[in-house]
Amino acid sequence: MTVRATARLQFHKDFTLDHALQLVPYLKALGISHLYASPLLTSRPGSTHGYDIVDHHAIDPELGGEAALRRLVAALRHQDLGLILDIVPNHMGVGGADNAWWLDVLEWGRASPYAEFFDIDWEPPDPALRNRMLAPFLGSAYGECLANGDLVLRFDPADGRLFLDYFGNRFPINPRDYPQVLRAGGEPIAELAHSFALLSSAGGRDALRRQAAAARAALRDAAPEQRQVIEAALASYNSDGPAGRDRLHRLLERQSYRLAWWRAAADEINWRRFFDVNSLAGMRAEVPEVFDATHEFVLALYAEGLIDGVRIDHVDGLAEPRAYCRKLRRKLETAAAFRPRELGSDPAIIWVEKILAPHERLPTDWLTDGTTGYDYMADVAGLLHDPAGEKPLTDLWVGLTGRPGDFGEEARAARRQILRESLSSELWATAGALHRVARRDLATRDYTLTAIRRALEEVLVHFPSYRIYSGLAGISEADRRILDWALAGARRTVRSADLPLLELIGKWLSGTELRSVPAGARRQERLRAMVRFQQLSAPTAAKAVEDTAFYRYGRLLSRNEVGSEPGHFCISPAAFHAANQDRRRRYPRALLATATHDHKRGEDTRARLAVLSELPEAWEAALNRWMRLNAPLRREVDGSPAPDAADEVMLYETLVGAWPLDLAPDDAAGLQVFVERVASWQEKALREAKRRSEWAAPNLDYEAACRDFLIQMLDPGRPARVVVEIAEFVGRIAPAGALNGLSQTVLRLASPGVPDLYQGTEFWDFSLVDPDNRRPVDYAARQQALDADRTPDALLASWSDGRIKLAIIARALAYRARAPGLFAAGSYHALKVEGRLAEHAFAFARIHEGRAAVIVVTRLAGRLPGIEARPLVAYNAWQGTSIAVPRSLAGRQYHDVFGGPGRTGSAGRLLLGEVLSALPVAMLELR
């Protein structure tokens, strides 16, 4: 099925597949072609996102299971809609008691058939972890948990296993240790203990596991009196006394895992995680058996016609993203032969979640359809920012807070902190891999592990993108430039004595000499070191930039978005045109997003904040006044103001950006709801910033002071009445913000690519970071607005209720459905805007097989006449500003898709005062 437009839905136990089934008629009427689902495979119980998969062979029962999926797909197919599935090949949910593969590795260690599924270093530098894995799942120190009786040895009568229970977290006991435990029960279970003792004579892994299964079956089927004795045996391992505690400790020390406090992971973990999350373990998708086991079910869903493509989560976490994507493409092509014929022959969609640096392009030889749209989100937002605001807003931020004006400075400091505090173990492991390479050669064996770690840290601190992809084939020119950039930065900060080592590390990481290394262990060692580095640079960037520096740098928060580079304040119209043309040529089916489940701020929150780039003087005056009026609300914590200036400024930006359009400053109930939302954001922001508080060690006094500041500031009864001033300021910029939102929406719907609609954003989206951006959606209100079928221009007067946005989306998608080739394959032509207000409009044309459309949007309208009351520039303000239309289109009649039957004209030189007389956007269908 041809992918024309998607609707992203987030599934969880409170929004199941059957809930989505009820929305199918609405999605069809709206003009969506494919439902775009969050992960649906079985995840941890209670998961709110689905990215913690524990079983790759089943649909999550909390979502309704496979039967519910089939009901949903049947309803989708009945309406000629499709389904695209988010898959997670990089990691699985671990801990708890749900992941059978993980539990098997805990039970058997390296002898488990799944030991190579997870990215575990069984021979780390720490000798205490050789052939063992760190299990950092305890809430406090191991000795404390042991002494408190939190670690309890239990028997599972359902499967005959012995396991350690820690508040529902299950840690299996190796069957070889059962005899010692069971002998404590005496003669009544001596026979059972003997059956386990025979394990020592079992030959080979398979025979050993068969014997263990038989012995466990005997335990499972034990007589009632034997069950009582088993419980008595387990009681001897009770840690409420010194003898039992010592016995339990010695038993645990013989296991293939070492239980530890969660804090130990940052320094000692010997398996790859998703970023620094202990409950998400990295998978080795590059291993054929792992790929097959984790993709068999998904490929079967595709072959049967239940899904039409996939989104690949965190592709940069994989060892070999290019090889993975190409293999997945081949597998999907093979499976396509079994799909129902009525679904057509369009190839499967493959979108990759990848953060592209401003200078970076996704390689076409990965055989994907493009990214999930973060790059587009950054570009379209950049188009709506006024470059004239960059310097005054930078000066304002620096002057008020004393923080750096250069985002790169904040990012480098954050990278250094993350490498030393959150990813220290991963950095040491990568340094250890390179150290093993160094010791292979007499010329380099004297470079120490510490020196390599030191130099490696500097490379990562200056790394300008998520990762490179060097390997056995060497390094591409694009990746060479990235690596050279990082090395150049490292040369400025590394110790002089380490400069020769730095050059050597650059050579090793590039892989330029890899083919000269004889095939075998030495080459694999080199390759493994390169991959380790690549799998470290990606989480370093994510944790340091998106999850730290974004919360420290508040020049203008609308640019602190996933996929954006806050140091790049805006992009020019010419650059946006170029990006659209490049995407049409290279990735015509790339996803276009302006809101996602991972965004830091909703699409309309960012659109409103962008107006501040046009009004820096007004923003400066407001900030100075509010900070002065609210000074009495600050209190001192740890010798410094709470909140400090940086946190206070970012709080005001958040309030102004997310303030609901229907919230009056005297609405006590409404203010309370809004305060709770902002307070949730504030706590997360303070901890992510890691300046005055952090997740690992929350500064509760500072957080409480910041929360109290927020509550008191928005108290409608407070004499200073700052809440009224904030509401008035929002009222001043809200129409221009809404205009930006509508322009952003139309650009997404008409640019080359596949537009995505994140759940609920058919109306205004003033959400904040998760969980705020995953709140329940009132689909009944959206259905009612769609059913009313009012034209956008008729809704302009009531623009604040959001129905105008939905009406524009519905009409644009209906046009895409009528002219699919125009938007899927049509050529792209940048149109020149001429006149006094040329910088305030943006236009392009799409042309295909006789069809043509001209798209026009307003931009940078914050100072223009007419914008004070509604999102529309006054007719006479355009002063003859016009769009030059290509000769091939001149003279053709046009009809504005958004304006109803009365808005027509003849295309030649289009006057903006006429084209944009009723709405700030236009989609002209040329006939």
Side-chain angles (χ1 to χ4, degrees), residues 442-456:
L442 296 179
T444 60
R445 73 175 192 174
D446 288 340
Y447 286 117
T448 66
L449 175 61
T450 301
I452 291 174
R453 182 202 179 281
R454 213 165 41 228
L456 193 60

Side-chain angles (χ1 to χ4, degrees), residues 749-763:
L749 294 169
S751 293
V754 177
D756 177 49
L757 183 72
Y758 180 66
Q759 59 180 32
T761 58
E762 305 95 306
F763 283 1

Side-chain angles (χ1 to χ4, degrees), residues 575-632:
F576 189 76
H577 280 309
N580 272 349
Q581 289 165 338
D582 182 69
R583 189 184 319 104
R584 179 197 168 274
R585 183 173 61 256
R586 301 175 76 245
Y587 284 111
R589 298 204 300 172
L591 198 64
L592 307 181
T594 49
T596 75
H597 64 287
D598 276 335
H599 67 230
K600 304 297 184 185
R601 289 160 193 87
E603 62 186 34
D604 297 306
T605 306
R606 298 193 308 274
R608 183 190 291 170
L609 286 173
V611 179
L612 300 182
S613 70
E614 305 174 60
L615 306 170
E617 301 88 356
W619 181 235
E620 180 176 9
L623 279 184
N624 283 322
R625 177 171 170 78
W626 298 341
M627 293 181 81
R628 184 176 72 254
L629 291 175
N630 288 330

Side-chain angles (χ1 to χ4, degrees), residues 451-491:
I452 291 174
R453 182 202 179 281
R454 213 165 41 228
L456 193 60
E457 179 179 324
E458 297 308 311
V459 175
L460 289 163
V461 162
H462 294 278
F463 215 72
S465 67
Y466 256 54
R467 65 173 280 179
I468 57 175
Y469 307 93
S470 54
L472 193 58
I475 187 169
S476 68
E477 284 301 315
D479 283 350
R480 167 58 73 185
R481 287 192 293 271
I482 292 173
L483 183 57
D484 285 348
W485 180 287
L487 292 171
R491 291 186 193 102

Side-chain angles (χ1 to χ4, degrees), residues 521-581:
R522 291 188 64 180
R523 181 185 285 184
Q524 288 303 312
E525 206 167 57
R526 283 266 195 111
L527 196 57
R528 183 61 179 152
M530 293 165 62
V531 170
R532 274 197 173 277
F533 172 80
Q534 293 163 25
Q535 289 181 309
L536 173 58
S537 66
T540 299
K543 292 302 298 178
V545 178
E546 297 166 29
D547 292 346
T548 304
F550 274 15
Y551 293 93
R552 295 180 177 181
Y553 186 78
R555 177 176 68 180
L556 190 56
L557 292 180
S558 50
R559 297 304 286 147
N560 294 19
E561 190 50 76
V562 179
S564 297
E565 167 58 52
H568 289 243
F569 190 77
C570 58
I571 72 168
S572 67
F576 189 76
H577 280 309
N580 272 349
Q581 289 165 338

